[in-house]
Amino acid sequence: MNQLNIRGLAQRSRAKLFSRSFASTAISRGQNLTEKIVQKYAVGLPEGKFVHSGDYVTIKPAHVMSHDNSWPVALKFKGLGASKVFDNRQIVNTLDHDVQNKSEKNLEKYENIKNFAKEQGIDFYPAGRGIGHQIMIEEGYAFPLNVTVASDSHSNTYGGIGALGTPVVRTDAASIWATGQTWWQVPPVAKVELKGKLPKGVTGKDVIVSLCGLFNNDEVLNHAIEFVGEEIENLPVDYRLTIANMTTEWGALSGLFPVDDTLIRWYTNRMIKLGPGHPRINEETLSDLITNKMDADPDAYYAKTLTVDLSTMSPYISGPNSVKISNSLEDLSNKNMKINKAYLVSCTNSRLSDIRAAADVIKGKKVAPGVEFYIAAASSEVQKEAESDGSWNSLIDAGAITLPAGCGPCIGLGTGLLEEGEVGISATNRNFKGRMGSKDALAFLASPEVVAASAVMGKIAGPEEVEGNPVKRVRDLKKSIIIHEPEQSESAGGAVEVLAGFPESIEGELILCDADNINTDGIYPGKYTYQDDVSREKMAEVCMENYDPEFGSKTKPGDIIVSGYNFGTGSSREQAATAILARDMKLIVAGSFGNIFSRNSINNALLTLEIPKLINMLREKYSSNEEKELTRRTGWFLKWDVKAATVTVTDGKSGEVVLKQKVGELGTNLQDIIIKGGLEGWVKAKLAETST
């Protein structure tokens, strides 16, 4: 298929509606793009059911990627009693995190992963081929309008090419290996409207760094994001990938860009580069993409609308040591802040365009004395192209230190880490304290151009300064946010079917734990985490003791915890969920949950509901109390009618109704997981079915 034919198909596709539009008079509202993609990859939906935010669904993703953690996933897979993967075309193994580590232990792990992949017929990419997320895009596993997951938090990256990418935990990955499926709760969806044209010298990195700093009060925490706006067509795909990648740091579960002519041209060029016969990027897949383009319905619901005027943006820098802190390049340049190390690495900003941009700044110059400038391409393909066009050598000639294609210093592994008292500037995605080396170092995040300029100048600096000019004045950023009222309309498909063995309703007294960001250590003390012989009774005893030592004496079986926002943040310990279950509590309600805690909860048969209005009402109820109780029996009772997907809260067990609200539907697939005692039990049951 030539480029003219592709353009023709694209023009015809814009002239008609998507042929499988899910909007109809049978439902109360349309679907946004996230919901449509989930609908496409959901399995076991009741007839006539249209997926919306809040619904629990079983998904069969197009692909699942794991990296250095492939061996732990394989051990989990074997521990489930599985011996053969369900679909070896669904799975991708890449080695990218600790590629500089040549220890016997690491090499043995890498060999185990390689052998397992060979035995199962899984697509395998060895150390040095590149970062897993880059490979997933280069090789077309993550593809527009598909669902691609990975056991890595930066799976959001795939949204840059219009795929719904989201992270899963290791148990989920093992479940997909064994059955082809896992579960997902469709998050609330936020629409981010990008208006205006980016000024010259402002990059995709500046956009996402600005967004993380502008909206830094968890506005998009655990949301799916859809980027919209007429000017998006002018954003290069590499900029989109950078923005989508760092929606993870912004707190979102996905960051989805639309499929437009810019993306179609990108895939056309990619197809030409790969040549004929590629299994995923070829004339057929590209033609199908153009013909069956998806867009959000005009009446789709979004939880929030955030708007930013790109024309008012300037180069921005994250830090120190937090993506929630954004400083203008002008401000930091004026502070004459000396640096010790600079980094052009990671899945965020080490693609070919990033290397070229840095080379344009540094060509003919030298890295400043006392500064170490580390570079690593996103993949071996990227490095080869950069070597061919001279940009790689321009960086080396300037004094850059090369590292193998991989994650390396971005995650604190290998050569070139920050040491105590040092200052580093990096084109990576995270600058948490201690992530890139010493906890007593300062880490900043910036665009490749600013990183290169800083390496030359020996201080945080802009490209203009390399040529002897001052940094441009910062512009006044224009932004807004609208929070939309939740829709209370009835969902399509009627009453939810309830399986035998699953309760039609769940009810109990609400126990208020009035705090935000209650972390997993507060729920289950870390000192017990790696003790394998802790009894269920002991787990129940110590549950929430780090949050409130009186929790145990104030609560009883059947109570329902209600807490603030980001409940269960912190580590990935599963005991934070199982300790609550040990107290015979089956349901937790919160304003929002930490994503890993949310997944661990369902995976261990603990139910969760996000009801922000309820926690706000309770906080208002007790706002006049002078003495704050960490754990309070409220006298309010909650009843979750699973069949009607409705929550009712009363003042007293049979008292006045204070809140009645629709919630996401708990489908039969998720009910089955709970009945089986969690995801591992469900997988074992599925494997037993197939073996008989």
Side-chain angles (χ1 to χ4, degrees), residues 510 512 562-563 565 589-590 611-620 636 638 647 649 658-659 661:
L510 291 170
L512 177 62
V562 58
S563 191
Y565 295 86
V589 180
I611 311 179
K613 189 172 183 178
L614 178 57
I615 182 63
N616 294 339
M617 289 174 65
L618 283 166
R619 284 176 169 174
E620 178 64 26
W636 284 12
L638 179 145
V647 160
V649 179
V658 295
L659 176 66
Q661 180 175 316

Side-chain angles (χ1 to χ4, degrees), residues 548-684:
D548 179 10
E550 296 183 1
F551 177 86
S553 62
K554 289 186 173 183
T555 60
K556 64 180 189 294
D559 286 340
I560 298 173
I561 296 172
V562 58
S563 191
Y565 295 86
N566 205 22
F567 184 91
T569 186
S571 77
S572 60
R573 68 190 68 162
E574 293 188 353
Q575 296 99 320
T578 55
I580 293 169
L581 285 167
R583 292 198 63 79
D584 290 322
M585 296 175 173
K586 310 299 184 187
L587 173 64
I588 307 177
V589 180
S592 63
F593 292 94
N595 179 49
I596 293 176
F597 175 84
S598 181
R599 295 210 65 82
N600 281 336
S601 295
I602 296 296
N603 287 349
N604 287 281
L606 175 66
L607 291 165
T608 62
L609 282 174
E610 290 191 0
I611 311 179
K613 189 172 183 178
L614 178 57
I615 182 63
N616 294 339
M617 289 174 65
L618 283 166
R619 284 176 169 174
E620 178 64 26
K621 173 180 169 69
Y622 295 109
S623 61
S624 60
N625 288 46
E626 292 184 7
E627 187 175 340
K628 181 177 178 179
E629 291 185 52
L630 293 175
T631 305
R632 184 192 299 270
R633 302 196 70 86
T634 66
W636 284 12
F637 285 76
L638 179 145
K639 180 178 180 180
W640 178 8
D641 186 332
V642 176
K643 186 175 286 189
T646 301
V647 160
T648 303
V649 179
T650 56
D651 188 356
K653 195 162 188 177
S654 304
E656 177 188 358
V657 174
V658 295
L659 176 66
K660 187 170 185 178
Q661 180 175 316
K662 293 287 290 184
V663 293
E665 294 184 5
L666 190 69
T668 54
N669 292 337
L670 260 293
Q671 294 174 35
D672 198 26
I673 290 174
I674 302 300
I675 291 169
K676 298 295 194 303
L679 188 60
E680 289 190 23
W682 178 83
V683 171
K684 289 176 181 177

Side-chain angles (χ1 to χ4, degrees), residues 485-537:
E485 283 296 316
E487 295 208 338
Q488 298 297 321
S489 56
E490 294 296 319
S491 178
V496 177
E497 179 188 354
V498 178
L499 295 177
F502 194 89
E504 291 192 359
S505 65
I506 299 167
E507 52 189 307
E509 184 178 354
L510 291 170
I511 307 301
L512 177 62
C513 296
D514 189 8
D516 296 329
N517 301 304
I518 294 179
N519 62 34
T520 50
D521 193 63
I523 301 167
Y524 187 77
K527 62 185 178 182
Y528 300 108
T529 300
Y530 297 104
Q531 295 181 25
D532 296 330
D533 57 350
V534 180
S535 67
R536 179 182 173 89
E537 291 74 22

Side-chain angles (χ1 to χ4, degrees), residues 166-450:
T166 196
V168 294
V169 296
R170 294 176 185 182
T171 301
D172 297 311
S175 171
I176 298 169
W177 287 16
T179 70
Q181 304 172 13
T182 191
W183 67 274
W184 204 48
Q185 184 182 23
V186 186
V189 183
K191 178 165 60 176
V192 177
E193 185 174 7
L194 303 178
K195 292 185 172 181
K197 292 185 179 180
L198 271 183
K200 186 178 180 181
V202 182
T203 70
K205 186 60 161 285
D206 299 309
V207 172
I208 189 59
V209 164
S210 297
L211 288 171
C212 288
L214 284 171
F215 301 100
N216 61 0
N217 291 307
D218 296 336
E219 289 90 342
V220 296
L221 180 67
N222 291 338
H223 283 59
I225 290 174
E226 292 182 17
F227 292 98
V228 302
E230 293 181 0
E231 293 299 326
I232 282 182
E233 193 136 348
N234 294 317
L235 284 181
V237 171
D238 282 2
Y239 281 14
R240 303 179 193 193
L241 290 167
T242 296
I243 294 168
N245 176 278
M246 279 191 64
T247 58
T248 299
E249 280 64 45
W250 201 13
L253 298 179
S254 61
L256 186 60
F257 277 85
V259 176
D260 57 13
D261 287 353
T262 300
L263 186 65
I264 296 297
R265 284 193 297 272
W266 189 89
Y267 271 102
T268 303
N269 293 331
R270 182 70 187 155
M271 181 181 68
I272 293 168
K273 182 181 292 185
L274 290 169
H278 192 276
R280 290 167 296 276
I281 302 176
N282 52 55
E283 290 186 4
E284 183 180 352
T285 57
L286 191 52
S287 177
D288 182 67
L289 172 64
I290 295 166
T291 304
N292 294 316
K293 182 174 173 286
M294 279 188 196
D295 295 299
D297 290 323
D299 58 341
Y301 172 74
Y302 293 92
K304 299 171 182 176
T305 299
L306 291 72
T307 304
V308 174
D309 186 346
L310 296 181
S311 68
T312 65
M313 282 195 170
S314 307
Y316 266 77
I317 296 170
S318 279
N321 297 352
S322 173
V323 295
K324 290 189 174 185
I325 302 171
S326 288
N327 297 280
S328 71
L329 171 61
E330 181 189 27
D331 286 346
L332 289 184
S333 174
N334 289 338
K335 289 181 179 178
N336 201 36
M337 187 174 291
K338 303 296 183 183
I339 67 163
N340 305 97
K341 291 184 172 78
Y343 305 88
L344 181 61
V345 301
S346 87
C347 56
T348 314
N349 275 123
S350 59
R351 284 173 280 276
L352 183 61
S353 63
D354 302 314
I355 293 168
R356 285 174 173 169
D360 287 344
V361 172
I362 209 169
K363 188 174 183 179
K365 309 293 191 302
K366 290 291 182 182
V367 172
V371 174
E372 297 170 16
F373 182 24
Y374 293 93
I375 62 172
S379 71
S380 57
E381 179 185 305
V382 168
Q383 182 171 332
K384 185 176 180 180
E385 289 185 274
E387 288 170 347
S388 296
D389 70 15
S391 53
W392 191 254
N393 287 335
S394 293
L395 294 169
I396 294 173
D397 291 345
I401 303 165
T402 62
L403 298 172
C407 301
C410 177
I411 48 167
L413 294 172
T415 302
L417 305 187
L418 288 172
E419 297 179 11
E420 183 178 349
E422 289 190 331
V423 176
I425 188 162
S426 176
T428 54
N429 44 40
R430 284 184 178 159
N431 57 349
F432 304 154
K433 189 175 183 179
R435 176 178 170 86
M436 297 184 68
S438 171
K439 61 181 177 58
D440 296 315
L442 298 180
F444 294 85
L445 305 179
S447 69
E449 292 90 333
V450 169

